[in-house]
Amino acid sequence: GPVKGGPAPIGAVETRPLDPARMALPAQGATFDLAAWLPDPVKAEFVLPKAIRRRDVPAAPRSRVHSTDWPGALKRLDHSNVLMLAREAEVPRDGWSCIPRNGMFAVTKDEEWDRVVCARKPSNTLETSSHRAGELLPHGSLTCEKQLGPDVDWIFEKDDLDNMYHKCATSYEQALTTPIGPALPASVFEGTVALAEARAREARRESGATLPSGKKDKWQPCLNTLPMG
């Protein structure tokens, strides 16, 4: 039945596995420079998240991806320009030297589409929150029936921001703090824009030659937009 007296309890929204054909993503994500609109010091922390990295957390919690076709879901993210690939050696670790890999799942949006949600709890536990997201960023909201007296008029404004989370671009350093799922062989990403950009980036840096040879063929998927979740 309807939830009364407060927000819906945890578990009230049913999660679904990511289906590449149902993933609601913009045609072109990561197009909005969010950092340009953030005040300092929040802007500096957003661009260079190592400033808010916690050193007292021994291990981040684990989270898994929930998908019927994870390679296909990654290619769908790439098609929308919200996927970044990095070598495992580049990704920040927790206190046990493990990559805090975040999960991903879907929730139903309508009959044809599902919202794409990143379960970023592993990475969130390794960062010190500024507790300012509520005042700085727009958020999704639910509307409900409002009971008014016969002589009362209620005037309100509501803006629908199209794909707000997926269109907010992040820095390279910020994307490294949102790894999603396990590292996968390069063959999984062949033909993607993310792999071409990662290879070009590696070719421009000397560090590409110093990475462990046994893992040279693997890439860690990362989200280069503001995570929904």
Side-chain angles (χ1 to χ4, degrees):
V3 176
K4 298 180 180 179
I10 295 176
V13 178
E14 183 179 355
T15 63
R16 298 171 51 92
L18 286 169
D19 179 348
R22 289 183 54 88
M23 292 169 64
L25 294 169
Q28 185 76 359
T31 56
F32 178 66
D33 184 8
L34 176 62
W37 295 85
L38 294 175
D40 286 323
V42 177
K43 177 179 179 178
E45 295 169 353
F46 181 75
V47 175
L48 295 173
K50 66 180 180 180
I52 57 173
R53 190 78 173 181
R54 293 179 59 187
R55 308 299 176 187
D56 59 342
V57 179
R62 298 294 175 248
S63 183
R64 296 188 300 177
V65 295
H66 190 31
S67 176
T68 59
D69 177 8
W70 182 233
L74 290 171
K75 290 179 179 178
R76 180 71 182 87
L77 293 173
D78 177 77
H79 185 72
S80 292
N81 191 43
V82 298
L83 178 69
M84 189 197 80
L85 300 178
R87 296 298 188 185
E88 290 178 279
E90 299 176 85
V91 182
R93 311 297 177 102
D94 65 13
W96 288 1
S97 297
C98 295
I99 293 177
R101 293 184 170 95
N102 302 282
M104 237 179 186
F105 59 90
V107 294
T108 302
K109 182 177 182 180
D110 54 38
E111 292 183 359
E112 297 183 5
W113 301 103
D114 294 333
R115 299 187 191 279
V116 180
V117 181
C118 174
R120 199 180 182 270
K121 186 174 181 179
S123 292
N124 288 344
T125 60
L126 301 178
E127 298 174 351
T128 302
S129 174
S130 63
H131 301 291
R132 297 195 63 190
E135 64 182 276
L136 294 175
L137 301 176
H139 292 277
S141 301
L142 296 176
T143 57
C144 62
E145 183 179 355
K146 182 72 173 178
Q147 300 294 332
L148 301 174
D151 300 323
V152 177
D153 292 327
W154 186 30
I155 300 176
F156 67 95
E157 236 177 77
K158 177 181 174 184
D159 291 323
D160 186 11
L161 303 179
D162 176 52
N163 290 294
M164 188 272 291
Y165 290 94
H166 302 308
K167 287 188 177 179
C168 288
T170 65
S171 65
Y172 176 73
E173 290 77 9
Q174 178 66 251
L176 287 176
T177 68
T178 311
I180 48 175
L184 296 170
S187 58
V188 173
F189 304 104
E190 286 296 344
T192 64
V193 174
L195 182 59
E197 291 179 346
R199 284 172 168 166
R201 185 172 60 245
E202 189 172 75
R204 294 192 298 265
R205 296 185 315 199
E206 295 181 359
S207 60
T210 64
L211 293 170
S213 58
K215 295 184 178 181
K216 282 287 288 183
D217 65 335
K218 281 193 171 184
W219 293 92
Q220 173 62 53
C222 300
L223 195 65
N224 69 347
T225 59
L226 197 64
M228 181 186 291

